[in-house]
């Protein structure tokens, strides 16, 4: 049946693509996506739906309206991906994972074999007693027969109880994992799906925020345990209970920018998502990397690799490889919200912009101290929802996701001054800037930047410098050879180089007037 559906789907797409006079390369890309469509839950989608969306009231129709209004450029790969998301939308509308279908513990074979062995022994004893008591009457025979009969009744009762159990719930729908280059529209597609899901048990998060929440829940569960007595060894694994807790809150989990750069995250993902999937949670995620390249060259990656199989088993993999960064396609007048420090009056312009923004605030310019998980984060210059910071304040300090989320919660506009040319040798600072921009972009925080170099030249790469001694100490602790450490992203900054392309793309969009209007919380 699946092969037949795949054939019909491919034939319809071929006819549509021929009529549309698209390139051979695009045909191949879309047909590759179509092969994955046949594995989705049954649903009928005609080629006229793909063409104009008139039969739809969901993501495809919404997408077509945006294209016709000029807000989006039509992209055949985006439409093919939306086709799969539309089918998932139809399945998820009436889906629920409540009550949770928890994995049943496996019955050990030795238990059933013991019952069988006991029956055999009783039968043997029965035959032996029958043979030796023919002359002595049937009393012993009767007793053994009654015991065998009792065992048979017990087994029959167990079979009847099992037969009366409710039939197993159907498997949960497969989700979608959308990967591709920066600015190809992955987040937009996921948000289109999310906006049309009528099921109230849904949740959308940035992956960084999601993992922060996971670690907080794990910590809370561990804190709630009774204190261990001296000399007692107690083992408690809080990951599956956390997965169950999330499953009681949502059946559709949408995660933006799925990325694994932290070993603490990498080591728990398999168990965490096995728990989520076993509890019926459906995942829709976006990422710049295909599943096989997640945590690429990461520390102890062999322990992470099984998670890739779990992810591919429960999600359809959708690739967007258009090679177009739509964020950069629309040229923005330079220097509006991104200033180069070497230009005349650049700092004066930033100061003027701060004064104009602060004038609208019902506050005075002052330092602010934010409390994050018991720690204090000091911002030296703020006014209302405007934060005037330096690169040193935000990226040289040991700040993380929770700190940046709190800044995004308190402020809708952030000025970042004194941003240097970024080199591989500053990979810790680069990593923090990537995380900062990811969170600001997700939370629609407006950013003004005063930097040493133009945006496209901000990251210059270069050799590692200044951290060799620290890296050498880590190598010695891990017992790694010179050959093995060269492949680890911990020391090559390969992940930072890759992810910074996303940062540049997002900073480009964050300069647009449309983004600034969306980020103005005073108009809400």
């Amino acid at each position: 049946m699946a092969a037949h559906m795949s054939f019909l789907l491919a034939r319809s797409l071929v006819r549509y693509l021929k009529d549309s006079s698209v390139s051979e390369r695009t045909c191949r890309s879309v047909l590759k996506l179509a092969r994955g469509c046949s594995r989705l839950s049954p649903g009928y989608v005609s080629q006229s739906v793909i063409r104009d969306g008139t039969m739809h009231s969901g993501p495809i129709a919404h997408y077509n309206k945006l294209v016709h209004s000029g807000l989006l450029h039509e992209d055949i790969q985006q439409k093919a991906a939306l086709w799969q998301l539309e089918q998932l939308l139809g399945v998820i509308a009436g889906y629920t994972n409540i009550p949770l279908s928890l994995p049943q513990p496996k019955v050990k074979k030795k238990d059933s074999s013991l019952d069988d062995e006991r029956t055999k022994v009783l039968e043997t004893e029965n035959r032996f007693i029958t043979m030796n008591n023919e002359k002595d009457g049937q009393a012993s025979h009767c007793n053994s027969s009654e015991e065998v009969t009792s065992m048979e009744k017990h087994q029959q009762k167990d079979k009847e109880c099992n037969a009366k159990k409710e039939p197993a719930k159907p498997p949960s729908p497969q989700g979608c994992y959308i990967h591709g280059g920066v600015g190809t529209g992955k987040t937009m597609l996921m948000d289109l799906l999310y906006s049309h899901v009528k099921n109230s048990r849904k949740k959308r998060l940035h992956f960084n925020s999601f993992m922060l929440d996971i670690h907080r829940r794990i910590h809370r569960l561990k804190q709630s345990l009774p204190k261990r007595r001296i000399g007692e060894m107690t083992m408690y694994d809080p990951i599956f209970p956390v997965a169950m807790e999330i499953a009681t809150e949502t059946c559709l989990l949408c995660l933006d920018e799925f990325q694994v750069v932290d070993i603490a995250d990498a080591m728990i993902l398999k168990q965490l998502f096995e728990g989520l999937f076993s509890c019926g949670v459906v995942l829709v995620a976006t990422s710049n990397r295909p599943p096989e390249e997640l945590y690429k060259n990461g520390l102890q990656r062999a322990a992470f690799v099984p998670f890739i199989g779990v992810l591919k088993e429960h999600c359809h993999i959708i690739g967007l490889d258009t090679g177009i960064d739509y964020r950069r396609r629309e040229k923005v007048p330079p220097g509006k919200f991104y200033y180069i420090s070497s230009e005349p009056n650049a700092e004066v312009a930033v100061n003027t912009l701060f004064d104009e923004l602060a004038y609208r605030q019902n506050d005075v310019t002052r330092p602010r101290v934010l409390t994050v998980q018991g720690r204090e984060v000091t911002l030296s210059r703020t006014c209302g929802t405007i934060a005037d910071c330096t690169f040193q304040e935000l990226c040289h300090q040991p700040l993380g996701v929770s700190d940046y989320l709190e800044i995004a919660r308190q402020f809708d506009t952030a000025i970042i001054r004194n941003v240097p040319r970024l080199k591989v040798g500053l990979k810790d600072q680069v990593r923090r800037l990537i995380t900062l921009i990811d969170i600001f972009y997700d939370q629609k925080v407006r950013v003004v930047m005063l930097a040493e170099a133009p945006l496209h030249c901000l990251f210059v790469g270069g050799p590692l410098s200044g951290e060799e001694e620290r890296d050498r100490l880590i190598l010695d602790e891990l017992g790694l050879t010179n050959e093995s450490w060269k492949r680890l992203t911990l020391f090559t900054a390969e992940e930072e180089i890759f992810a910074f392309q996303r940062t540049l793309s997002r900073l480009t969009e964050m300069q647009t007037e449309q983004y600034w209007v969306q980020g103005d919380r005073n108009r809400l």
Side-chain angles (χ1 to χ4, degrees), residues 7 72 77 88 115 194 202 210 356 409 492:
F7 171 74
L72 290 180
Q77 289 197 27
L88 176 59
D115 290 339
Y194 188 82
K202 61 180 181 177
F210 172 71
E356 291 176 355
R409 191 179 71 84
T492 63

Side-chain angles (χ1 to χ4, degrees), residues 461-522:
L464 289 171
S465 61
E467 298 180 340
E468 288 83 356
E469 186 61 29
R470 186 199 69 173
D471 291 349
R472 175 59 56 186
L473 291 173
I474 296 176
L475 289 173
D476 292 341
E477 289 292 329
L478 296 173
L480 297 174
T481 63
N482 288 335
E483 291 299 322
S484 59
W485 74 263
K486 291 178 182 178
R487 298 189 298 270
L488 295 178
T489 55
L490 177 65
F491 306 107
T492 63
E494 179 183 342
E495 187 66 34
E496 287 76 18
I497 295 172
F498 179 85
F500 200 76
Q501 297 305 310
R502 179 176 72 249
T503 301
L504 294 179
S505 176
R506 290 186 161 183
L507 281 172
T508 301
E509 182 182 345
M510 293 166 85
Q511 297 176 58
T512 63
E513 182 178 354
Q514 180 183 1
Y515 180 89
W516 269 67
V517 171
Q518 291 176 345
D520 187 0
R521 297 177 191 172
N522 290 325

Side-chain angles (χ1 to χ4, degrees), residues 331-341 343-353 356 447-451 453-456 507-508 510-512 516:
K331 297 297 182 182
V332 181
K336 187 174 183 180
F337 302 116
Y338 186 94
Y339 298 87
I340 303 172
S341 55
E343 293 178 342
N345 299 321
E347 190 163 355
V348 173
V350 174
N351 292 337
T352 302
L353 182 57
E356 291 176 355
V447 172
V448 178
M449 191 170 285
L450 178 62
L455 184 57
H456 65 278
L507 281 172
T508 301
M510 293 166 85
Q511 297 176 58
T512 63
W516 269 67

Side-chain angles (χ1 to χ4, degrees), residues 12 25 45 62-63 109 111 115 131 203 217 252 263 286 293 307 318-319 374 387 389 408 437 453 513 517 520:
S12 298
R25 181 181 177 185
V45 184
H62 193 165
Y63 178 88
K109 292 183 178 180
D111 295 338
D115 290 339
M131 293 171 60
K203 184 177 292 186
R217 291 174 188 251
L252 175 64
I263 188 172
T286 70
E293 294 186 11
F307 165 71
I318 305 174
C389 313
I437 298 302
E513 182 178 354
V517 171
D520 187 0

Side-chain angles (χ1 to χ4, degrees), residues 341 347 377-380 388-400 404 407 415-422 426 428-430 432-433 436 449-452:
S341 55
E347 190 163 355
V377 177
T378 302
L379 301 180
S380 58
D388 189 357
C389 313
T390 65
F391 181 80
Q392 289 71 23
E393 280 182 302
L394 296 177
C395 300
H396 275 273
Q397 303 298 323
L399 304 182
Y404 297 143
I407 293 173
I415 298 175
I416 308 176
R417 300 173 184 258
N418 306 330
V419 180
R421 286 182 183 268
L422 300 170
L426 299 173
D428 287 344
Q429 291 83 355
V430 172
R432 293 188 189 109
L433 181 62
L436 175 71
M449 191 170 285
L450 178 62
E452 184 180 346

Side-chain angles (χ1 to χ4, degrees), residues 121-254:
V121 170
L122 289 172
E123 290 175 349
T124 302
E125 288 179 354
N126 180 44
R127 287 195 298 269
F128 178 79
I129 293 172
T130 301
M131 293 171 60
N132 291 277
N133 286 325
E134 289 178 351
K135 298 179 181 180
D136 300 330
Q138 302 299 320
S140 299
H141 169 73
C142 292
N143 291 337
S144 297
S145 280
E146 289 173 1
E147 190 168 359
V148 173
T149 304
S150 176
M151 174 63 70
E152 291 175 347
K153 288 181 178 179
H154 178 71
Q155 292 176 345
Q156 182 64 28
K157 187 176 181 181
D158 287 343
K159 291 180 181 179
E160 292 175 357
C161 290
N162 291 333
K164 291 180 180 179
K165 287 183 178 179
E166 295 182 2
K169 290 178 66 176
S172 57
Q174 280 193 295
C176 293
Y177 180 93
I178 310 170
H179 68 89
V182 297
T184 53
K186 303 179 297 297
T187 300
M188 177 200 67
L189 297 181
M190 184 181 74
D191 287 344
L192 277 176
L193 169 71
Y194 188 82
S195 65
H196 287 274
V197 172
K198 303 301 182 184
N199 195 322
S200 61
R201 301 187 67 254
K202 61 180 181 177
K203 184 177 292 186
R204 184 209 182 277
L205 294 167
H206 190 278
F207 183 74
N208 286 335
S209 302
F210 172 71
M211 291 309 301
L212 177 64
D213 180 56
I214 292 297
H215 289 296
R216 282 175 174 169
R217 291 174 188 251
I218 291 174
H219 178 72
R220 188 181 69 244
L221 274 178
K222 287 182 175 180
Q223 292 295 107
S224 66
L225 292 176
K227 292 184 178 180
R228 187 177 63 183
R229 295 180 181 178
I230 298 176
E232 289 186 358
M233 291 295 293
T234 56
M235 299 295 292
Y236 176 71
D237 185 0
I239 298 177
F240 186 76
V242 166
M244 288 180 58
E245 186 178 338
I246 294 172
T248 61
E249 300 168 1
T250 182
C251 65
L252 175 64
L253 180 62
C254 295

